[in-house]
Amino acid sequence: MYLYNLTLQRPTGIVAAIYGNFSGGKVQEIVVARGKVLDLVRPDENGKLQTILSVEIFGAVRSLAQFRLTGAQKDYIVVGSDSGRIVILDYNKEKNVFDKIHQETFGKSGCRRIVPGQYLAIDPKGRAVMIGACEKQKLVYVLNRDTAARLTISSPLEAHKSHTVTYSICGVDCGFDNPIFASIELDYSEADQDSTGQAASEAQKNLTYYELDLGLNHVSRKWSEQVDNGANMLVTVPGGGDGPSGVLVCAENFVIYKNQGHPDVRAVIPRRADLPAERGVLIVSAATHKQKSRFFFLLQTEYGDIFKVTLEHDNDRVTELKIKYFDTIPVAAAMCVLKSGFLFAASEFGNHALYQFQAIGEEEAVEASSGTLMETEEGFQPVFFQPRGLKNLVRIDQLESLMPIMDMKITNLFEEETPQIFTLCGRGPRSSLRILRTGLAISEMAVSQLPGVPSAVWTVKKNVTDEFDAYIVVSFANATLVLSIGETVEEVSESGFLDTTPSLAVSLIGDDSLMQVHPNGIRHIREDGRINEWRTPGKRTIVKVGTNRLQVVIALSGGELVYFVVDVTGNLMEVEKHEMSGDVACLDIAPVPEGRQRSRFLAVGSYDNTIRILSLDIDDCMQILSVQSVSSAPESLLFLEVQASVGGEDGADHPASLFLNAGLQNRVLFRTMVDMVTGQLSDSRSGFLGLRAPKLFSIAVRGQRAMLCLSSRPWLGYIHQGHFLLTPLSYESLEFAASFSSDQCAEGVVAVAGDALRVFTIERLGETFNETVVSLRYTPRKFVLQPKRKLLVMIESDQGVFTAEEREAAKKGVF
């Protein structure tokens, strides 16, 4: 038996996240690991998270770290995985790929307890990396650069210790002294030999320092001291002139500052007022923010509460450790504080979020604990606080996450074109029922009713240098409506367009002139208001139009083609005529290649089930270059230039390729490659799109040309991370569309359907599904569907929670 695996959607849960300047410069990016996928994510100027690169790897990522060589301008990525290898990646900005700089094998593959990969620690000055296993093995690699400034890596140096379980490791900031790594360890050798369990109950965790002697190229255990048995995490404290050095040990109910030769400084973690006394508080994620003059830590507990931790210090002596309640967000697997004022939280359950700092918790009236103030003869007094809504943070964007999926079913409950996927996701009050539909999400900006049923719509600029469109032109069966685009969209009557006839095409022609093609001629509207008219000969009418900024081809009834170009004075000049063997079904002119003034290729679709490529060069104007037979008469044609995927095996940048797309009347999209020199057609492919013959339109997506296909549902063909994708849109059926750009909507689409004019934007490019989310109160367990009655029945349960009635009664003080 052979099984074929096709991934519909990549993993959405994040297991590790780091941040740094991976592309160089001052822009900070985030690298997240989603199981077997590495993503490079960057917040844009509006605070929206954009996925720059997504790469599938052959393995499971367990840990991530970043480092920068002294004096370098960008960060490298170290990956710990189940491969038994340490891998160092460099982000190549030009090719948009992760280049593998080093890949060193040290053990067997698989998540084994004694093979390193679970833990990663970096020397803060970027001179060494420690990779550790859950048990016994730790390896240290020295990082340096050669004479050509390329990163080099040493042979592994062992720091193994048998019968030792590791809980956390980190690099200690000791300036440019020998690198030191700290580790929380537990020696179980005695407990292994004692069958009574006495030794196991007395086993003690230790904080151990490992020193890398760069001169001797050797790792040794420098210092070890007992630490609280509830210790579970280490956080590096800045040193080397920026701080006192050492580490924060996060333990159950306490945060402890420790360093060699320094007395412990301990502070209790504030507790929720309603938390049972027997329940401890553990720190599960941490982030450090360092400025030139100060630094602080954000520590998050298993309940989602974030605390700001600051150290009062005099050079290398720490005098006080303060913990202050900051905010409460969903529990995160990793937190990243960016220098641009953002906090990225990769949630353990549910959607990941990007927050912006509104304040940094400086106010005094917040519950806080201090190592010097809270200690009494009876021990440390607990500090209580009450969680509240966000005060220091504000959420500005989120990444959808289905993790964890508790139950899932696929059915066409809503009787749509494709079935829906129903999933139960999340945990507790953040859980949800999500209905997934294939297609990109749409954000509708405006819907306006029109005085009739339109047949077409266009947008046009007044000048080639304009940033935004000036007019929306709507064509009806016997009229043309012109709308000006500003703060509001209003009808105008003095635009120069002929409004008593339907329009076949409207576009910017030359640098600053407008063109309207209607059945009886071409109207050329100059910038100064002069209007030139070209009339059709005899009783013939224009049936089809193909145009770019400097070239126009019209097809007259009977099959005659007339070719116009814009000359140096801006006038529209007739160049050539050509008789086809029959009526023209559709036509399109290829985009102008870089470095040329005009396009060479014209595609003409005929009702005899053929597509012809004609030349528009002066030397062989209107000569047929190639002919392609198709399975049905073409309804619509569109040339699209696609940049080939960069960073292939040969590592070279590939030039753009020209593709001809054809929507056929048998409801198939036909796509073939056009040779940029000869015009020959090759590598033809086709696919069924819907229940209507596809109409093809050119729109802008992320500053590049893309293809909108309108069949019984809309489809978008666009370039994403170097690959061409054809994805449906989750929107109703449309008749005609055009690209739209205004001050309020920089990159959108205007379309007509029925008697309505619709303006919308396309969101979350690259995703397979869009979601409809229904919030739930408790963790969902299972659900069943009743398709006939269109009911969904689910069971939800959580331990130790009030029912909805009990919660309302508690608010009213009944209990």
Side-chain angles (χ1 to χ4, degrees), residues 267-286:
V268 68
I269 301 173
R271 301 169 61 86
R272 293 189 176 196
D274 58 353
L275 192 66
E278 67 273 9
R279 293 283 294 274
V281 180
L282 279 176
I283 300 297
V284 294
S285 63

Side-chain angles (χ1 to χ4, degrees), residues 271-333:
R271 301 169 61 86
R272 293 189 176 196
D274 58 353
L275 192 66
E278 67 273 9
R279 293 283 294 274
V281 180
L282 279 176
I283 300 297
V284 294
S285 63
T288 304
H289 181 61
K290 187 168 69 171
Q291 296 173 319
K292 289 183 179 179
S293 58
R294 61 177 178 175
F295 61 88
F296 64 85
F297 309 93
L298 294 180
L299 306 182
Q300 187 184 37
T301 70
E302 57 193 311
Y303 307 109
D305 305 316
I306 297 179
F307 297 95
K308 179 184 176 184
V309 178
T310 55
L311 295 175
E312 297 288 337
H313 64 96
D314 182 12
N315 293 326
D316 293 342
R317 307 301 293 178
V318 173
T319 56
E320 188 177 1
L321 189 155
K322 288 184 178 179
I323 304 179
K324 184 183 289 188
Y325 175 61
F326 190 75
D327 261 333
T328 299
I329 65 172
V331 180

Side-chain angles (χ1 to χ4, degrees), residues 539-564:
K539 296 183 178 180
R540 303 178 85 173
T541 57
I542 300 173
V543 290
K544 300 294 176 184
V545 185
T547 178
N548 60 22
R549 199 167 60 83
L550 296 173
Q551 297 163 283
V552 181
V553 176
I554 59 171
L556 302 176
S557 53
E560 184 180 8
L561 298 177
V562 184
Y563 174 38
F564 301 85

Side-chain angles (χ1 to χ4, degrees), residues 455-587:
S455 57
V457 63
W458 300 271
T459 55
V460 63
K461 297 177 181 179
K462 284 185 177 179
N463 194 293
V464 70
T465 59
D466 289 351
E467 185 178 357
F468 302 123
D469 294 319
Y471 297 121
I472 298 175
V473 183
V474 186
S475 175
F476 296 89
N478 56 1
T480 295
L481 177 68
V482 182
L483 305 170
S484 68
I485 303 172
E487 291 186 4
T488 59
V489 176
E490 298 177 349
E491 183 179 353
V492 292
S493 56
E494 297 180 356
S495 60
F497 291 107
L498 189 64
D499 58 4
T500 57
T501 179
S503 296
L504 297 174
V506 173
S507 68
L508 176 72
I509 198 82
D511 288 340
D512 52 15
S513 301
L514 302 178
M515 180 188 70
Q516 177 190 16
V517 182
H518 53 85
N520 297 316
I522 301 175
R523 192 175 178 90
H524 186 197
I525 306 161
R526 304 299 293 266
E527 186 184 25
D528 56 10
R530 289 179 297 149
I531 297 175
N532 299 326
E533 287 269 5
W534 180 90
R535 291 285 179 179
T536 56
K539 296 183 178 180
R540 303 178 85 173
T541 57
I542 300 173
V543 290
K544 300 294 176 184
V545 185
T547 178
N548 60 22
R549 199 167 60 83
L550 296 173
Q551 297 163 283
V552 181
V553 176
I554 59 171
L556 302 176
S557 53
E560 184 180 8
L561 298 177
V562 184
Y563 174 38
F564 301 85
V565 297
V566 178
D567 63 13
V568 291
T569 63
N571 291 315
L572 200 60
M573 304 296 295
E574 183 179 327
V575 175
E576 188 72 40
K577 292 183 179 180
H578 180 74
E579 282 284 349
M580 300 294 291
S581 56
D583 279 347
V584 173
C586 49
L587 49 83

Side-chain angles (χ1 to χ4, degrees), residues 257-277:
Y257 171 79
K258 289 184 79 73
N259 199 6
Q260 185 178 3
H262 192 290
D264 291 359
V265 181
R266 175 186 298 246
V268 68
I269 301 173
R271 301 169 61 86
R272 293 189 176 196
D274 58 353
L275 192 66

